Every structure is written in structure tokens, then in C-alpha cells.
Amino acid sequence: MDTGQVYRFTAGQRKGLMVLCGLVVCVQVGWFFISRQDVSDSEKSEEEKQWLALQTKIDALKAKHATKDGYKIYPFNPNYITDYKGYALGMTVEQIDKLKAFRKEGKWVNSAADFKTVTGVSDSLLAVVSPYFKFPDWVKNKKQFTEKTAYVYTAGNKNAAFSKKENIAVPVKVLDINTALEEDLIAVRGIGPAYAKKLLRRRSDLGAFVSMDQMDDFPEFSPEAITGLKKAFKAGDGLAVNKINVNSASLQQLSRFPYFNRDIAKSIITQRSMKGKIYSFDELSKINDIFILKSKIIALYLEY
């Protein structure tokens, strides 16, 4: 047996060995990075737990940094916080959703304590945002009257010409519905921004409201909202209403009048075509029952 024989690899065998070595190296490198990733994920999970445990402090810090980083807080009504504003103030999504659900029930936040109870915000966050809360006047004056001390003359009392009488009812100032701003209307319970804008559009179409009974023209308003409007506002004197001439107005103009519709407008045009002219409100009252039900109001907007 020749022990001096040398074994040689063929070219194909050498290539195979090189590929095998390359695979071994790739497996080792891959295992190294995978094990590192597992450790990293574990550490990240622990960090997330720590952050969640400190969520209360994070809420407060977010609110403080919001004012420093360019988001300036102005006085606002917490009942109308939007998603963006809530986030900018430092509220969580859950807290914002709680407030929205509370408002959908027709309920109102009337104090900082109410806000905390409804949303569950932390005391530190509440301390930051509550100084900016602005509630309408009716929240501060929940009664229709404020109580003041007065002195009333007592007849026949020689020793004391005036005697003290307490708790005299003094009515709260009532605003003119025709000069009211959107924020004045929103202050009424049950009147939100959408309803306030609808009132202002109707006032613009009519020129002015002539009676607070016109609040009944909005069937979508709740009875509470209508009652609140009638208590908080009045229709002032010397009103400049937009009058419509029933003898010269076109079909479109008559149809756009809030107390008419297209059928009534057609009936008016037919009536004046047959008679040549409509001379009085009594003639109109024969066209539709609405003229009888609201005659005092409608008549103030018409001319002949």
C-alpha cells in the first residue's frame, strides 16, 4: 500500500465546499442578528410598560408642552372640544370619547369638577386646562332671578321708617334676539353651533324676528331649547324686516319666503292673476290655513 498517495479534490468538489462554508457563515450571522432583535424587542416591551405606568404624568407634560411648542390655549367651552383640540390639550382618545358620549346624551359639563368626572383626566392635567374653561352666563346664573338685599318703606312704623327685606327677585338681563351673536345663542341649553347658525340664517332671510313665538317655527329644536330662547331673548321694537310684495314678487321669490312654499306661491300668483291684484291680508287668508294660524306674524312681512 502506497502511503504517500495524495488525495485531490476535483473542481466541482472544491466549489461545493466553498458554497457549504458560505452557508455556514450566513447561518451564523443570521442567528446573531435574530438573537439581538429578540433582546431588543424584550427591552422595548419593558419600556412601553414603564411609559404606560406613567401615563398620568405624560398627559400633564403634553398639555404643558402644547403651549410652549406653539399651541396657545385660549378660553374655550369644554363642551365643544374637538378631537384635535383634545389631543393638543393632552387628553387621551378614551377621554375625548367619554366626553362625546356624555354630550350625545344631551348632558352638559358645567364645571371643572364635572369635566374631571366625565372624562377621567388626571388632577395635573385638569390644573393646566381648567383655568381656560369658559362657561355661558346661564351656568353662573342658573336661576332666572338673582337675589339681592333691599330696604322697603314700612308704613306706620315710626321707629323704623325703613325695614330690611331680603331676597328681592331681580330679573336677569334679557338680550335682543335680533342683535344676538352666535355665542349668545349657544349659551342657551340645547342650542349648539348648528342650531345657532340656522337661527341666524332665518333672521337674515326675514330681516328680523318680530316675535319670540317664531322660535316655534323650528321643529328640530327641543322644547327645552325653545323655552330657553324665549326666556333669554326678546324681539326688540323698531324692527327693519324684509317685506315681500305679494303682487309683484316672482314665483321664486314667493317660494323662498320662510312662511310660504311652492304650492302657496302658485296659489298667490293664480289669485292675483284672476283678480288683477291682492288688496289685503284677508284675501290671502282664504288661500291656506297657515295665514290664519300665524296671521299676526306673517302680516308684518307682507306688502301689497
Side-chain angles (χ1 to χ4, degrees), residues 171-219:
V172 176
K173 182 180 179 181
V174 178
L175 301 177
D176 188 341
I177 189 68
N178 292 307
T179 59
L181 304 176
E182 181 177 342
E183 51 264 35
D184 298 325
L185 298 172
I186 293 176
V188 175
R189 183 184 292 271
I191 300 295
Y195 285 172
K197 286 182 173 63
K198 182 168 287 191
L199 274 166
L200 294 176
R201 283 196 297 268
R202 176 62 63 86
R203 187 180 72 185
S204 177
D205 291 339
L206 296 173
F209 290 113
V210 296
S211 170
M212 289 307 298
D213 289 338
Q214 289 173 277
M215 301 302 103
D216 298 323
D217 296 340
F218 300 91

Side-chain angles (χ1 to χ4, degrees), residues 48-277:
E48 288 178 348
K49 291 179 181 179
Q50 293 177 7
W51 280 114
L52 290 174
L54 297 174
Q55 186 63 49
T56 299
K57 293 183 179 180
I58 293 173
D59 291 342
L61 290 173
K62 285 167 66 179
K64 291 179 180 179
H65 287 302
T67 57
K68 294 179 181 179
D69 297 338
Y71 183 82
K72 187 174 182 180
I73 304 178
Y74 295 94
F76 65 96
N77 189 330
N79 289 286
Y80 302 106
I81 290 180
T82 61
D83 289 340
Y84 171 75
K85 189 174 185 66
Y87 173 78
L89 291 174
M91 296 175 65
T92 64
V93 173
E94 182 182 3
Q95 291 166 352
I96 297 172
D97 289 343
K98 285 181 179 180
L99 178 62
K100 288 187 174 182
F102 181 78
R103 289 286 293 110
K104 283 183 178 179
E105 296 177 2
K107 299 178 182 179
W108 297 77
V109 171
N110 294 326
S111 65
D114 289 349
F115 185 78
K116 176 177 172 57
T117 301
V118 172
T119 61
V121 298
S122 63
D123 291 336
S124 55
L125 178 59
L126 185 68
V128 173
V129 300
S130 60
Y132 298 95
F133 287 175
K134 181 179 180 181
F135 297 102
D137 292 337
W138 61 262
V139 173
K140 301 175 184 177
N141 305 304
K142 292 185 178 180
K143 297 182 180 180
Q144 180 68 16
F145 299 95
T146 57
E147 294 183 347
K148 292 185 178 180
T149 301
Y151 291 87
V152 181
Y153 178 73
T154 305
N157 189 341
K158 297 180 180 179
N159 296 325
F162 292 88
S163 62
K164 185 178 181 181
K165 181 179 180 180
E166 298 188 8
N167 300 333
I168 300 297
V170 179
V172 176
K173 182 180 179 181
V174 178
L175 301 177
D176 188 341
I177 189 68
N178 292 307
T179 59
L181 304 176
E182 181 177 342
E183 51 264 35
D184 298 325
L185 298 172
I186 293 176
V188 175
R189 183 184 292 271
I191 300 295
Y195 285 172
K197 286 182 173 63
K198 182 168 287 191
L199 274 166
L200 294 176
R201 283 196 297 268
R202 176 62 63 86
R203 187 180 72 185
S204 177
D205 291 339
L206 296 173
F209 290 113
V210 296
S211 170
M212 289 307 298
D213 289 338
Q214 289 173 277
M215 301 302 103
D216 298 323
D217 296 340
F218 300 91
E220 63 271 35
F221 291 5
S222 67
E224 182 184 20
I226 294 174
T227 301
L229 287 169
K230 291 181 178 180
K231 286 183 177 181
F233 299 97
K234 65 179 181 179
D237 300 326
L239 307 172
V241 300
N242 296 332
K243 288 185 175 288
I244 183 169
N245 192 308
V246 296
N247 289 302
S248 61
S250 65
L251 175 63
Q252 184 179 8
Q253 290 173 325
L254 291 170
S255 300
R256 290 177 58 185
F257 181 56
Y259 291 102
F260 293 169
N261 55 37
R262 194 168 184 82
D263 291 335
I264 294 177
K266 287 181 179 179
S267 299
I268 292 175
I269 290 179
T270 301
Q271 184 84 351
R272 75 190 190 192
S273 298
M274 293 174 59
K275 294 190 174 183
K277 186 177 180 180

